[in-house]
């Protein structure tokens, strides 16, 4: 994993402001929010309208069977995100994806979160698979996910 922060100052400020706003609504999920980068993958972690839940769009290298994006949800508990297939742990500017594959434990490292993009913008580079992209966008919307700041009431 690269150890140098390559984010622009405006990206850091934008994400910090977004996380701070969401920490007023759901302090458990707020530290995880953002688009986290690894060597060949990203995890875009979005807030949900359900307290303690996050929405995750995994980005990875596409192949003939997929467009390189997958939607999922996770539940935050005890400072971790638990999904159906992995657990995410967070410390500072690092995120670890803990998993078991072929009966072997592993951890995949992500770092330096950037501001979230609207999912449609995030997946705009995959026009050849509108049906799959639209399905992810529908799942995102149905789960009460957002890329926006919380509404002030």
């Amino acid at each position: 994993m690269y150890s140098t922060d390559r984010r622009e100052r405006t990206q850091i400020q934008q994400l910090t402001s977004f996380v701070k706003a969401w920490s007023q609504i759901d302090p458990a999920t707020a530290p995880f929010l953002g688009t986290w980068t690894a060597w060949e993958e990203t995890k875009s972690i979005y807030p949900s309208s359900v307290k303690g839940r996050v929405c995750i769009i995994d980005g990875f290298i596409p192949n003939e069977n997929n467009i390189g994006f997958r939607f999922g949800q996770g539940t935050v508990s005890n400072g971790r995100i638990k999904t159906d297939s992995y657990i995410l742990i967070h410390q500072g500017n690092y995120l670890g994806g803990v998993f078991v594959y072929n009966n072997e434990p592993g951890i995949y490292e992500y770092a330096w979160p950037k501001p979230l993009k609207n999912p449609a913008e995030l997946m705009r580079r995959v026009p050849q698979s509108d049906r799959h992209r639209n399905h992810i966008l529908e799942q995102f919307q149905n789960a009460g996910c957002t890329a926006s700041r919380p509404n002030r009431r």
Side-chain angles (χ1 to χ4, degrees):
M1 185 77 222
Y2 56 88
S3 59
T4 304
D5 187 350
R6 298 179 182 165
R7 300 173 295 173
E8 297 172 12
R9 183 181 309 274
T10 55
Q11 291 175 312
I12 295 169
Q13 291 169 340
Q14 185 181 2
L15 180 64
T16 300
S17 174
F18 184 81
V19 168
K20 185 176 178 182
W22 275 102
S23 70
Q24 301 299 310
I25 306 299
D26 193 350
T29 63
F32 292 96
L33 303 179
T35 296
W36 299 80
T37 304
W39 283 111
E40 297 178 338
E41 297 180 12
T42 60
K43 284 204 182 296
S44 294
I45 303 177
Y46 296 87
S48 167
S49 59
V50 177
K51 195 168 185 158
R53 186 185 308 161
V54 293
C55 302
I56 303 167
I57 297 181
D58 289 304
F60 47 90
I61 298 172
N63 62 35
E64 66 278 352
N65 298 322
N66 63 60
I67 65 167
F69 292 97
R70 177 178 46 246
F71 175 81
Q73 294 182 68
T75 303
V76 179
S77 177
N78 297 323
R80 297 178 183 93
I81 295 176
K82 186 174 188 310
T83 73
D84 291 340
S85 53
Y86 54 83
I87 294 172
L88 295 172
I89 55 175
H90 168 263
Q91 185 170 7
N93 285 311
Y94 295 94
L95 186 73
V98 181
F99 59 91
V100 176
Y101 181 74
N102 286 338
N103 263 351
E104 294 288 328
I107 187 164
Y108 201 75
E109 182 181 333
Y110 301 83
W112 312 116
K114 292 182 179 176
L116 291 163
K117 293 181 179 178
N118 178 294
E121 182 184 344
L122 182 71
M123 296 184 290
R124 76 179 183 278
R125 65 176 189 246
V126 257
Q128 74 276 14
S129 185
D130 286 338
R131 186 176 59 83
H132 187 73
R133 184 179 64 232
N134 290 342
H135 180 66
I136 290 174
L137 294 174
E138 185 179 311
Q139 288 175 300
F140 185 87
Q141 185 175 16
N142 289 344
C145 310
T146 184
S148 302
R149 295 173 73 85
N151 293 330
R152 292 276 183 212
R153 293 187 182 148

